[in-house]
Structures are given as structure tokens and as C-alpha cells.
Amino acid sequence: MNLLYYWQPDNYRRDRRYGFGYHLSQNSAIMNSVDNGGTIWAFTRRGDGRYVLAAEFLARRVTRNPAGYTYGKYRAWADTDRTRYFDLADAPDIEPIVRGLAVRSNATHLGQSFQGTSAVRFLGVGDVQALSAFAVGLPSLARVGFYPEDVLEARFLGEDVAGRVVRDVSETRIDYLYGRDTPDRQVVREIPNPELFGTNDDMRIRYVMEQLKGGRDSEFRRVATELRETYAGRCQVCEFDPQIRYAQEICHVHHVVWLSRGGDNDRSNLVVLCPNHHAIVHRDDAPFDYGSLAFSFANGAVEALRLNLHLPGIA
Ligand SMILES: [Zn+2]
Ligand SMILES: [Zn+2]
């Protein structure tokens, strides 16, 4: 199925601040229809009142958010390679197109037809054709795919995450801006559009740093230590117990919604994982569902948590 989504301007601006994050949360159960694939066509209203196409969001999975989550019960996870966020600056008016869809939208102000759970609607085949035709040649925002911060965050595995973040980000940024070789070529190779490292990334880097600030005294470190104690250092997926067997603390605390995508340090966003499970969850960008308390992988594999003492279920 394919969906039309009205992105409330305030929410659009908030999400854009974090580089969109390739996630879309909503309260409408219609979202489930794009689990296992489907496109969410998202439009919004600019400051000058013009309605514009904001994104062609190709969904991979839809998961349920934890009880009490502010921005909706359902979360769509994007195909990060193919999802496009559009540049709104010179964007054409999409109102005549939306008015012409089979989707009901007869309010005087278009946005009024898409309030609350009406924000998400099913699209017919003809509707999708009209939107696809409209989107041809629309300028996309420059960076689609993984941002440098995602790559960096994926590398922030381990005990010294908070201490390393500032150094790594600034070194990479400098090397990157001046085209120098870095000691770790891996990072540079994985940055998709080096020439476009711009202001939006600054917001995201600042946000990640903000969440991890304080190094050993950081809020994240405090909560992470608490969680590792809760599980006696075991992995919540496989119960690997290095602390018990070897008296070594090597399990990591993973952010379900990555910091670089706007996630936070709330306990409900954190899972204790062994280094192997942490690595595969990042490599696969595996969605986590709070209903089944399980990660799902691109090849169909599902890993339910064997241990859970802190994550809430769904509302
Ligand atoms: Zn594990
Ligand atoms: Zn992680």
C-alpha cells in the first residue's frame, strides 16, 4: 500500500532540525499497511502558506513505539538509500494535485482536512501515479543515505563512547573539510557526499554531543551503568554474560532510535547488547518493535529479547 501524509509544519521543522532521521512516527494504525514496504508521500505547508511535497518516504518496516511515546504509536523505518526529502525552497505548489486525488480533502484550508488521525490516508493507484509524476525532477535535499554522524555513531561502540565523541567528530570533520587522509579511512570512505558536509549536520553533531556531554559523568553514562547492573552485564538478546563468566564488562548500551536520528537517553530508548549483537543491529539498521520486544532484520531474521527488566510494552 501507499499512503499520503500531512506533515504538520511544526513537526516538519522539528524533524528537519535532526536531519529527519529516516523515521516517521504517527498515531494512525493505517501506518501498518506499509510494514514490509510501501511509500509514504509526505506534504507540508511552508511558512508562506504554500503546500509542498516534503518527502517520498520508502518504508521498510513499521514498529510500535513504547507506551507513552509523544509522537505516536507507530514508527515507520525508511529505506535510507531510496527515501528522498525534497528541497522546499523552490518547490511547486502541490495543493491542486492533492485536491485532485481520490483522497477526501474539501476543507477551505487544505491542512484542515488532514488533522489528527486523518493525517495519514490510503492512496489509490491513480493517486500514486499523479504524485510520482509530480515528483519527477524535484530537487532533493543534498544528503540522502547515511550521514557522517550515523557512521560515527555506529563506531561509538564500547566504554569510551562519551569521551571519544567530541574528538572523533571534530577530527573527522577537519580531515573531511580539508580533504586530508585520516588515520581511519573507513570513516571517510563511508561518507556519501563529502562535498556537502553542511550546516544541517552541525545541528545533528551538536545534538549527539549534547546527549553524550559530560564524558564519564554524563547522564547517558549514568543510565547505561544502571542498566548494565540491572542485567549483570548480560546481553538482552543472547544472554551472553561476560561479567559473570570472565569478570569483564564488555556489553554496550544501544539507542533504539539512534542519537544521530533524534533519539534520546530515556531508558525506554536503550537496550543492553553484546558487541556482536550491537554490531549487527547497526550494520542491518534493524528496527526494534516494542510490541514483540524484538529486532527484525532485512533477511527476515527476528531476535526477540530473552531478557527484559526495564523496557515498557506498548500502550
Ligand atoms: Zn548478544
Ligand atoms: Zn548502538
Side-chain angles (χ1 to χ4, degrees):
M1 285 304 300
N2 296 283
L3 302 173
L4 180 67
Y5 168 57
Y6 178 54
W7 207 336
Q8 294 289 344
D10 287 351
N11 294 345
Y12 174 84
R13 279 191 290 274
R14 184 199 72 225
D15 293 348
R16 179 167 176 149
R17 196 164 166 267
Y18 300 121
F20 298 119
Y22 294 98
H23 289 213
L24 211 159
S25 285
Q26 256 296 314
N27 246 330
S28 170
I30 289 176
M31 291 280 277
N32 283 315
S33 64
V34 292
D35 191 20
N36 293 316
T39 300
I40 303 173
W41 295 91
F43 72 104
T44 189
R45 196 183 72 241
R46 278 196 328 209
D48 65 358
R50 172 179 285 195
Y51 290 92
V52 290
L53 190 59
E56 179 184 4
F57 185 103
L58 285 93
R60 287 186 293 137
R61 297 301 307 227
V62 174
T63 59
R64 286 158 291 179
N65 282 322
Y69 186 75
T70 314
Y71 303 111
K73 290 180 185 168
Y74 304 96
R75 175 183 300 272
W77 299 62
D79 174 330
T80 52
D81 292 328
R82 296 190 298 152
T83 288
R84 292 195 295 160
Y85 291 98
F86 298 108
D87 189 350
L88 306 193
D90 298 313
D93 185 359
I94 198 177
E95 182 164 355
I97 304 293
V98 175
R99 297 274 191 198
L101 301 176
V103 169
R104 188 185 52 77
S105 61
N106 45 16
T108 312
H109 297 289
L110 185 60
Q112 290 170 347
S113 293
F114 295 88
Q115 298 301 311
T117 49
S118 299
V120 190
R121 311 285 191 83
F122 287 114
L123 289 170
V125 175
D127 294 338
V128 172
Q129 283 168 352
L131 288 165
S132 301
F134 181 80
V136 170
L138 282 189
S140 297
L141 287 174
R143 290 174 303 282
V144 174
F146 284 95
Y147 288 155
E149 301 89 293
D150 291 321
V151 176
L152 290 169
E153 187 173 351
R155 295 177 58 238
F156 293 156
L157 311 177
E159 285 296 295
D160 56 347
V161 55
R164 282 171 46 205
V165 64
V166 174
R167 196 190 68 222
D168 275 11
V169 167
S170 55
E171 277 179 9
T172 303
R173 181 172 165 71
I174 290 164
D175 285 327
Y176 178 52
L177 288 174
Y178 292 95
R180 269 189 241 140
D181 234 3
T182 72
D184 183 353
R185 288 154 193 265
Q186 185 76 3
V187 176
V188 169
R189 201 179 66 235
E190 290 182 34
I191 292 173
N193 285 307
E195 70 280 10
L196 296 168
F197 200 50
T199 52
N200 195 41
D201 294 271
D202 292 346
M203 293 299 303
R204 289 159 59 97
I205 289 173
R206 269 206 294 280
Y207 177 75
V208 172
M209 283 163 54
E210 182 72 16
Q211 296 301 306
L212 298 176
K213 77 179 175 196
R216 296 197 167 277
D217 302 322
S218 73
E219 172 69 7
F220 172 60
R221 181 63 68 89
R222 190 184 64 71
V223 179
T225 302
E226 239 174 60
L227 285 178
R228 274 192 291 256
E229 279 167 12
T230 300
Y231 295 98
R234 287 176 295 181
C235 172
Q236 284 186 255
V237 170
C238 68
E239 302 184 77
F240 178 52
D241 56 354
Q243 195 189 86
I244 295 164
R245 291 170 72 91
Y246 311 111
Q248 295 288 356
E249 185 77 88
I250 63 168
C251 283
H252 303 153
V253 176
H254 168 67
H255 293 83
V256 171
V257 178
W258 301 7
L259 289 178
S260 56
R261 296 174 180 181
D264 59 28
N265 292 324
D266 193 277
R267 289 160 62 93
S268 65
N269 192 41
L270 300 173
V271 184
V272 183
L273 297 176
C274 67
N276 279 348
H277 276 116
H278 199 187
I280 196 62
V281 160
H282 274 270
R283 177 75 65 85
D284 208 79
D285 194 5
F288 181 78
D289 178 60
Y290 286 83
S292 52
L293 293 173
F295 287 99
S296 55
F297 295 82
N299 72 347
V302 174
E303 292 283 8
L305 300 183
R306 290 192 204 164
L307 297 174
N308 180 42
L309 299 167
H310 81 284
L311 288 176
I314 52 175

